[in-house]
Amino acid sequence: MEILEIRNLNKSYGNQKALNNISLTIPKGGIFGLLGPNGAGKTTLIRIINQIIEGDSGEVYFNGEILQPKHISQIGYLPEERGLYKKMKVWDQLVYFARLKDMPAALAKERVAFWLKKMDISSWRDKRIDDLSKGMAQKVQFISTIIHEPELLILDEPFSGFDPLNAEIIKNEIIELKNKGITVVLSTHRMESVELLCDQIAMIHRSNKILEGRLTAVKQMFRPNTYEVILSGINETLPESWNASQVNGNTIFKIPLGQESPNSTLQMLMQYGELLGFREILPTMEEIFIQQIKNHSYE
Ligand SMILES: Nc1ncnc2c1ncn2[C@@H]1O[C@H](COP(=O)(O)OP(=O)(O)OP(=O)(O)O)[C@@H](O)[C@H]1O
């Protein structure tokens, strides 16, 4: 079952096309990476899902129903440009946001106390936002996004502004939310966090969807069919084309798989020395991202 289905969505700002006939299916549960270079159209799509702006044509379905205002309370949105009331105190602000999302007052207070404690920031409850550092305010904003336990969480660059320790805390919170069954849409330029967190991805470039699929399938799709080999105790001269190098007393090189099966390649390699390592090299998301953007930039 999908939580969001986007069909043939179009949006232009004047002459500037921001979304060109985008169709996407976001399954329930799991973390969905929405990727693309600057200006691709990601924020436009996220704003349409959050009903901040409307598409020109096309449809968005939430849990099988046409997206409508009643769904807002089931969505949590952490925008890239953060927005907290600077003069308001942390506690008042979080309770206010929870109430805006239809939470009863007693439950809202209970949840705010729970999250302040969980994030280890209970001592900040009476501080005003403009007395917090950027990273501290980000933590408060993160809590404001998840306080009403939405079914769908949309996080735009959730790690920006955090030091590595706090980024790790946020990452673990995202994993915990996913494990509770919450669907997360993660928009980020940090490919290492996509690699770590996402089950599925879609890539948008110049208003068009250029790639979609499970992360593992996408990585398989772009595998270079190349293996990394580590040998020690070489007893036969290696072919020059392997371009072997010496690292810590071992010989390391890459070979293409070609027509041979991995087993017969292994047997062939064993003739050359003691085989310490043999693994398929899979492309990183960073490599796939850069390659895809380059490939689609000349169309
Ligand atoms: N309010 C607006 N008025 C006019 N053009 C806009 C507006 N918002 C976005 N655009 C244009 O629409 C296109 C898509 O922008 P969008 O903000 O959706 O991209 P993005 O993928 O979120 O980029 P980034 O990664 O930089 O945040 C861009 O060409 C942008 O200049």
Side-chain angles (χ1 to χ4, degrees):
M1 175 75 185
E2 57 279 343
I3 193 158
L4 267 184
E5 196 180 343
I6 292 150
R7 287 195 206 149
N8 309 107
L9 193 60
N10 286 285
K11 174 73 185 172
S12 295
Y13 301 97
N15 290 332
Q16 178 66 52
K17 193 102 189 157
L19 295 173
N20 185 24
N21 210 27
I22 297 284
S23 294
L24 266 185
T25 302
I26 301 184
K28 239 183 220 240
I31 303 180
F32 189 97
L34 184 61
L35 318 179
N38 295 127
K42 305 176 299 291
T43 309
T44 301
L45 178 59
I46 289 173
R47 286 192 178 143
I48 292 174
I49 297 168
N50 281 291
Q51 302 175 68
I52 297 166
I53 56 171
E54 281 186 6
D56 299 332
S57 63
E59 294 108 45
V60 181
Y61 293 88
F62 184 87
N63 275 335
E65 292 181 327
I66 278 277
L67 186 71
Q68 48 200 288
K70 71 169 184 180
H71 296 132
I72 288 174
S73 63
Q74 291 156 45
I75 302 176
Y77 173 36
L78 181 72
E80 195 180 7
E81 281 145 27
R82 315 295 198 229
L84 292 169
Y85 298 104
K86 297 210 178 324
K87 307 267 176 247
M88 225 168 154
K89 288 180 178 167
V90 169
W91 173 270
D92 298 339
Q93 181 134 198
L94 287 173
V95 171
Y96 172 74
F97 278 125
R99 300 280 291 131
L100 271 187
K101 296 278 184 166
D102 296 338
M103 265 194 148
L107 182 61
K109 287 177 186 168
E110 193 185 300
R111 300 298 303 166
V112 171
F114 168 84
W115 275 105
L116 289 179
K117 189 155 186 276
K118 189 163 197 288
M119 292 285 209
D120 205 17
I121 56 173
S122 298
S123 59
W124 303 356
R125 56 175 285 160
D126 293 321
K127 277 190 192 290
R128 279 169 29 155
I129 297 301
D130 54 8
D131 291 334
L132 300 179
S133 74
K134 190 174 162 208
M136 289 162 91
Q138 302 269 81
K139 255 187 172 174
V140 175
Q141 178 121 29
F142 184 80
I143 296 176
S144 78
T145 309
I146 55 179
I147 193 76
H148 58 296
E149 300 191 325
E151 264 190 83
L152 174 66
L153 197 54
I154 302 177
L155 306 174
D156 200 351
E157 292 294 356
F159 306 110
S160 80
F162 282 123
D163 65 45
L165 198 71
N166 279 310
E168 179 76 10
I169 290 172
I170 297 298
K171 188 194 88 195
N172 290 335
E173 288 301 339
I174 294 173
I175 293 172
E176 239 181 77
L177 290 162
K178 166 191 154 162
N179 291 340
K180 278 189 191 158
I182 292 172
T183 309
V184 181
V185 172
L186 173 66
S187 182
T188 180
H189 295 295
R190 299 192 189 190
M191 291 301 128
E192 75 285 355
S193 52
V194 172
E195 201 109 35
L196 263 171
L197 293 171
C198 293
D199 303 291
Q200 199 146 341
I201 61 134
M203 200 179 284
I204 300 179
H205 179 39
R206 291 185 175 165
S207 76
N208 290 290
K209 182 179 79 181
I210 58 168
L211 187 64
E212 186 181 12
R214 291 195 66 78
L215 187 81
T216 45
V218 168
K219 292 191 95 165
Q220 286 294 322
M221 204 190 300
F222 296 102
R223 61 208 269 238
N225 277 322
T226 302
Y227 286 77
E228 183 190 71
V229 184
I230 307 175
L231 289 174
S232 79
I234 299 292
N235 46 32
E236 225 180 284
T237 315
L238 304 182
E240 223 168 275
S241 62
W242 288 357
N243 237 338
S245 54
Q246 301 297 315
V247 179
N248 296 333
N250 295 324
T251 306
I252 297 184
F253 54 95
K254 291 181 183 142
I255 50 165
L257 182 59
Q259 302 297 320
E260 305 295 322
S261 73
N263 275 1
S264 52
T265 306
L266 265 172
Q267 275 176 345
M268 177 273 290
L269 288 166
M270 285 191 296
Q271 297 165 23
Y272 288 94
E274 202 67 34
L275 194 59
L276 295 184
F278 178 67
R279 69 168 185 109
E280 182 177 5
I281 297 173
L282 284 176
T284 62
M285 270 316 294
E286 180 106 17
E287 288 163 341
I288 294 173
F289 182 94
I290 292 170
Q291 198 52 52
Q292 283 303 294
I293 300 309
K294 278 186 183 160
N295 288 353
H296 287 83
S297 290
Y298 305 105
E299 289 171 355

